[in-house]
Structures are given as C-alpha cells and as structure tokens.
Amino acid sequence: MSAVRISSDLMGVLAARRSQARFRIGVAVAMLAGFGSTVGWAFAFGWVAVYMGLQLAEHLLLHRRDLSTFSSLVLLSTNAIVFGAYGAMGPVMDGSWGLACGVVLMCGGLLNTALTSQKSLQAFVASAWPFAFYLGAMPFAALAVGAEGHHAVALAISAALIVGCTVMIWRSAARALIAEGEARARAEAADAAKSAFVAMVSHELRTPISAILAGAVEAGRAEAAGARASNLELIESSARMMRTLLDDLLDLSKIEAGKMGVEVTPFDLRRLMLETVRFWAPEARRRNLRFRVEGARRVPTWVEGDPTRVRQVLNNLFSNALKFTDSGSVTLKFAASPDGQATLSVIDTGPGMDAAQVGRLFTPYGQASDSVARTHGGTGLGLNISRELARLMGGDLSVESAPGQGAAFHLKVSLPAAAAVSAVDATQDRQGLRLLIVDDHEVNRRAFTLILQAACDELAVAHDGVEALERLATQRFDLVLMDLNMPRMGGMEAVRRLRAEPGPNQATPVIALTASVAPKEMAVCKAAGMSGFVMKPVEAKELFAAIEQVLSEARATVAQTA
C-alpha cells in the first residue's frame, strides 16, 4: 500500500510527529537524568540508545514519504512500547517508588497520545494500547513488590479510570478539531463565494457604466433627433440597471443585518398585476414567447400588504423566466384561499433544473450553475432576496422544476381583502413652486435641478445644513429637499433646528433624500420633523409623487386649522 492511500488524518499525525522530534529527544534526555537512578543507569543508557535509534529510523522513513498505513501504525506502536518500557522497569528495579514513577510516566504517555493523535482513531489506538497494557500490569507489579490486595484493586481501578478519561479527552479533542476544520472550510467557501460575487458585481457595474459613458458621448455628437433619443434611451436603461443592482445590494445587506421590513397598506392587486404584465410583455414579444395570465377573474381588487415588495418579487420571477426561456410560454397564475392567502405562480417552459441546481437556487452569492452569470449576467441575489421578502410578508417562495420540464415559482403571501382607497394624484404640472435643494454633492444638485426646473418659479440650492438654515431664516420656500448625510451639519440636525426656531419656514414641508426607507429610519426622520421621504437614486415620477403628497397634506393641515 502506497503512502498516498494513507488517510489524511493519519498523515496529519505523522506530519505532527516530524515537527515534534526535538521535543521527544528532549523528553528522553530528561527521563535519563531524572529516572536513571530509579531504573538503573545501565538500563537507562541502553534504553536511551534504543529510543534515539528509533527516532532516527522514524525520521528517515517519514522523510521518504513512502510508508503504508500498516507500517505507519507499527511505527507508532513500537514508539509507545519502547517509551513505556522505561516506566515498566520502575517496580522491577526500585520497588514501590519505581512503581509510582512508572505509573506517572504511563499517564503522561497516554495524555500525550490523546493530544497528538488528532482526528485519527487508528493512530490513537496504535499509540495508546501499549500504555494501557503497561498500566493494566501495574497492579500485578504492585502485588509482586509487597502491596496489599486492596491496594492492587485501587490501583487497577485508577488505571481503568485513567484509560477511560484519556479516551474521553481524545474524543473531545477530535470533535473540536473536526468542528474547527468544518468551520474553516465553510469560512473559506464563503470567502470564495463573496470574492466571486464581488467580481461579478464589478462586471455588472462596468456594463451599464460603459453604456452610459458611450451614450453620453454619442448624444453630444448626434445631430439627428432620432439618434439622440436612442442614445438617451440607452443612458436611461443603463441607469435603471445600476439602480436595480444597487437596490439588490442594499436589500441583501438589510436582510443579513436583520433590518429589512415590510409595510401593510391597502393597494390594488389587480392593477399591480396588470402593470407588471404590461411592463414585461414587450420583452416576451421580442423573444417570441407567449405571455399568459390565468385566474385573473379571481384576483381581488383591493388587498392589504406591501405592494412594492410584491411587485419586486414578481419582477424578479418574470426576469428569470424570460431570461432562461428560449421558446414556449411564460404564465402568471393566480390562486387564493378564503383565509386571505394568495398564490402568484410564474411558470415557464425553459430548460428546467435538477435537484442540485434547485438546492443552490435560493442561496446568496449563488446561481443555478457557474455558467449562468457568464451567459445571462446578473448577481444571483434576486431569488434569495425574493424568498426573504416573501417570508417577511407572512408567506414563502418555492419552486418546482425538473430537467427539460420548465420551472414553476410559487409566491405565497398573506393578502387579506381591504377597502378601496383613492390614489394620490402624482403630477408634474404643479407650477409656481419656491423650492430649496440641500445636498453636498454637485452632481445631485444638478440632477434635481434638471428634474424640477420646469415645475418651479424659484429654485435655490444649498451645500449643507448650515447654509440651508441661513437661507431658510431669510427667504420663504414652499418645499425643501434635504439630504441626510452632509458635512458641517446633516439634514436631520438642520430640520430639528428649523422646527425649533421661529421663522418663515418653521412649518415648511421637508422631504428627506435618503438611501434607506426602512421603518426605523423613517420613524427617526418623522421624529426630527421630516414630512416625506424619497429614496436615492431618485426617479422623476417618484419625486413628483412625493412632492404632491406632502404639499397636499400641508394644504389639508392648513384647511383644518383655518
């Protein structure tokens, strides 16, 4: 049997013995000096010579790396037999004192065996049995040197306890080493997965950034309106790709930190499903796929839940279905139970997945196969985030699939019926606004100015909270857009001071520009005096909807107090 067939655990023990050779030689010299008079100097020097020769032979054999499992175990047993023989001579040469010294040496040998045999049961048994044998013989040696019978029995029981405790020590050490190895393997796998994920994210970011840069350059050069519109459309779609990626990263970080939340509000489920289907229908037509809806008549109009998160999960499912389906159809199927549980299923006729692929499907930083990212792009976060969102909404996300039979993703979520609510009329036609934009970044100030300049009679900017308060103390505004994180003074502190001090804008609505709209952050902003929230990166439609809402609420408050 060649060395390569030796188990990795046994190889680890042999490697550890090579590194401990100097220690064993030092122990032998110490035993010669300390116990030579006990066992007799002639025997002591002879034993040292034999033991040193054995260490040299072991060094040469381990250096050649051609030991079989059997020869390795014989080597370990021989070492233990020779080492233990030194203590076994104690009672023979020096009576009861030599017996005591021998028992101590056997216990030390057993303990060293338990600590150095690592995870290899073979190595432990081969190294421990000689010491256990010697200890078992000590009660008989005690009787031979004149001990009473009950002393011999006590010694036998003590020897058995020592052997049993040694076995327990070895088992505990082996389990600890196995657990440490498994933890290290998991950590290394996680690090490798995250490294691959970072590389994937970098690639996903470079693609839309390159498109934005190219589109901007070409838009400046293009003379025809059609060519300019095409380049601007490229810039817009690339920016949306970057926003989707950023949203996924933020959602993942909040999920891992346990800070992800969902809201419960009345919304029109039928309209949400219709808008989602209309959004993905052009992509289905482009790929020559049938796009179907089943169970639409059973969809309730108004339900309670989180429309943003339901839409997010459906978009992820449609995106995957259309991405992996080359022919056939993609179907959205609705089913509901009387207790308010709804099931929205996205079913495709794609290639399907085997059990191993399904098992990796909902893991973060993973995809169904390693080639998915190269072929189709994406970070592999969407399904993991979608399942977590489904569970936060009191449901779950599951999948049924088999190779060649497509896939069916089932979003089960609690959506009890609700009373109809009139929608907020978000419009960009409001005129005559006096608005202050507070942001420390020049790019953000320019972006908000481009979006809002047509709807405002007066548009002012401030670089931070200090400058904003100076303007707000002397000039009347209808609305303030306030970034939260700025140098000198952030938006939160600026709004607290604005509300606390009398002035022309003490009651002026303030919309927070924030990277997070989690319930906890929103509550803090509300407590500081904010009137509304817009999440960065901002889209014009969302910004105008927030402006219309806070101004309508402000008008209603004034009407009530009049």
Side-chain angles (χ1 to χ4, degrees):
M1 185 182 296
S2 63
V4 295
R5 295 187 181 180
I6 297 178
S7 69
S8 59
D9 293 338
L10 181 55
M11 287 291 291
V13 173
L14 297 177
R17 287 188 63 83
R18 288 189 64 184
S19 64
Q20 297 170 353
R22 293 182 179 179
F23 172 75
R24 292 197 302 275
I25 293 173
V27 170
V29 173
M31 289 173 63
L32 172 65
F35 300 98
S37 60
T38 300
V39 300
W41 289 108
F43 176 81
F45 278 107
W47 175 85
V48 166
V50 172
Y51 189 75
M52 293 297 184
L54 183 60
Q55 302 313 303
L56 177 61
E58 178 180 333
H59 175 75
L60 295 175
L61 290 172
L62 292 179
H63 183 72
R64 291 171 56 188
R65 299 177 182 274
D66 60 353
L67 285 175
S68 65
T69 298
F70 177 76
S71 57
S72 299
L73 298 177
V74 169
L75 182 63
L76 294 174
S77 293
T78 304
N79 264 282
I81 292 170
V82 172
F83 187 90
Y86 193 82
M89 285 300 292
V92 175
M93 304 299 294
D94 201 17
S96 59
W97 172 245
L99 175 69
C101 292
V103 170
V104 171
L105 287 175
M106 299 309 166
C107 292
L110 271 175
L111 180 60
N112 182 67
T113 295
L115 296 178
T116 58
S117 295
Q118 298 181 355
K119 298 175 289 184
S120 175
L121 178 61
Q122 292 176 315
F124 174 68
V125 172
S127 301
W129 77 260
F131 296 112
F133 175 80
Y134 286 134
L135 277 174
M138 286 300 172
F140 301 100
L143 292 173
V145 298
E148 299 291 336
H150 63 279
H151 293 152
V153 172
L155 185 59
I157 294 174
S158 299
L161 290 174
I162 289 169
V163 173
C165 289
T166 302
V167 173
M168 292 176 62
I169 291 172
W170 176 83
R171 290 180 63 184
S172 298
R175 288 172 180 170
L177 287 169
I178 291 172
E180 179 186 356
E182 292 175 348
R184 185 184 301 111
R186 288 194 298 268
E188 290 173 352
D191 285 343
K194 287 193 175 183
S195 296
F197 171 73
V198 169
M200 192 186 306
V201 169
S202 299
H203 175 270
E204 291 297 308
L205 280 173
R206 287 191 180 96
T207 300
I209 289 174
S210 299
I212 288 171
L213 293 174
V217 171
E218 292 303 317
R221 293 177 181 173
E223 297 181 359
R228 189 178 300 110
S230 176
N231 289 314
L232 293 176
E233 183 180 354
L234 173 63
I235 293 172
E236 181 183 6
S237 61
S238 300
R240 291 182 183 276
M241 287 175 59
M242 292 181 66
R243 179 176 180 174
T244 299
L245 175 60
L246 178 60
D247 288 342
D248 282 348
L249 294 174
L250 291 174
D251 284 346
L252 179 67
S253 66
K254 287 188 284 188
I255 288 171
E256 291 184 338
K259 295 182 178 180
M260 174 65 80
V262 295
E263 65 175 350
V264 177
T265 185
F267 71 96
D268 188 338
L269 178 60
R270 186 174 298 175
R271 179 176 179 180
L272 184 148
M273 291 176 59
L274 179 61
E275 289 175 347
T276 306
V277 169
R278 285 177 176 173
F279 178 82
W280 290 102
E283 177 66 14
R285 287 194 297 269
R286 188 184 69 82
R287 300 176 65 87
N288 294 319
L289 298 174
R290 296 188 304 277
F291 205 35
R292 302 185 300 181
V293 178
E294 295 182 3
R297 294 182 179 179
R298 297 191 296 272
V299 178
T301 304
W302 285 90
V303 296
E304 282 191 346
D306 191 328
T308 301
R309 297 308 184 183
V310 172
R311 190 190 304 270
Q312 182 179 350
V313 175
L314 286 178
N315 281 335
N316 277 329
L317 297 182
F318 277 129
S319 176
N320 280 340
L322 293 170
K323 183 188 300 182
F324 294 105
T325 304
D326 294 327
S327 61
S329 63
V330 172
T331 302
L332 173 61
K333 184 177 180 180
F334 177 83
S337 59
D339 60 354
Q341 292 290 324
T343 301
L344 296 118
S345 302
V346 176
I347 307 166
D348 64 63
T349 57
M353 295 169 287
D354 58 29
Q357 290 173 318
V358 171
R360 296 196 303 268
L361 204 58
F362 295 102
T363 57
Y365 315 115
Q367 303 222 32
S369 67
D370 296 335
S371 63
V372 168
R374 295 192 299 271
T375 306
H376 300 283
T379 60
L381 294 178
L383 288 176
N384 172 257
I385 293 171
S386 295
R387 171 174 276 185
E388 294 298 328
L389 291 176
R391 290 173 175 175
L392 285 172
M393 291 187 290
D396 204 355
L397 179 62
S398 59
V399 60
E400 296 176 338
S401 185
Q405 298 182 20
F409 288 85
H410 305 291
L411 169 63
K412 296 182 180 180
V413 62
S414 177
L415 296 174
V421 177
S422 58
V424 175
D425 181 20
T427 175
Q428 301 182 25
D429 297 331
R430 178 178 289 276
Q431 299 291 329
L433 281 178
R434 292 169 296 177
L435 192 145
L436 175 64
I437 300 170
V438 187
D439 199 299
D440 62 317
H441 205 295
E442 173 66 20
V443 172
N444 287 335
R445 294 195 299 270
R446 291 178 61 185
F448 289 125
T449 301
L450 285 173
I451 294 172
L452 296 166
Q453 60 187 0
C456 298
D457 277 357
E458 184 177 341
L459 190 61
V461 297
H463 297 74
D464 55 37
V466 174
E467 185 178 345
L469 289 178
E470 292 174 354
R471 281 185 168 273
L472 290 167
T474 59
Q475 188 176 356
R476 179 75 173 87
F477 289 97
D478 299 311
L479 183 69
V480 180
L481 299 182
M482 181 77 73
D483 188 24
L484 296 185
N485 298 311
M486 295 178 290
R488 294 207 295 173
M489 184 186 295
M492 206 80 73
E493 179 62 22
V495 173
R496 290 193 187 100
R497 296 192 183 188
L498 178 66
R499 302 304 187 209
E501 300 175 2
N505 295 286
Q506 188 177 27
T508 298
V510 179
I511 293 179
L513 305 175
T514 176
S516 173
V517 289
K520 184 176 180 180
E521 284 80 359
M522 292 172 65
V524 173
C525 290
K526 281 284 189 183
M530 299 288 186
S531 309
F533 314 88
V534 174
M535 187 173 179
K536 291 182 177 180
V538 176
E539 288 198 38
K541 181 175 65 175
E542 297 172 355
L543 179 59
F544 280 109
I547 291 173
E548 183 67 27
Q549 183 173 357
V550 299
L551 291 178
S552 298
E553 291 174 354
R555 287 198 309 270
T557 302
V558 171
Q560 290 175 0
T561 57

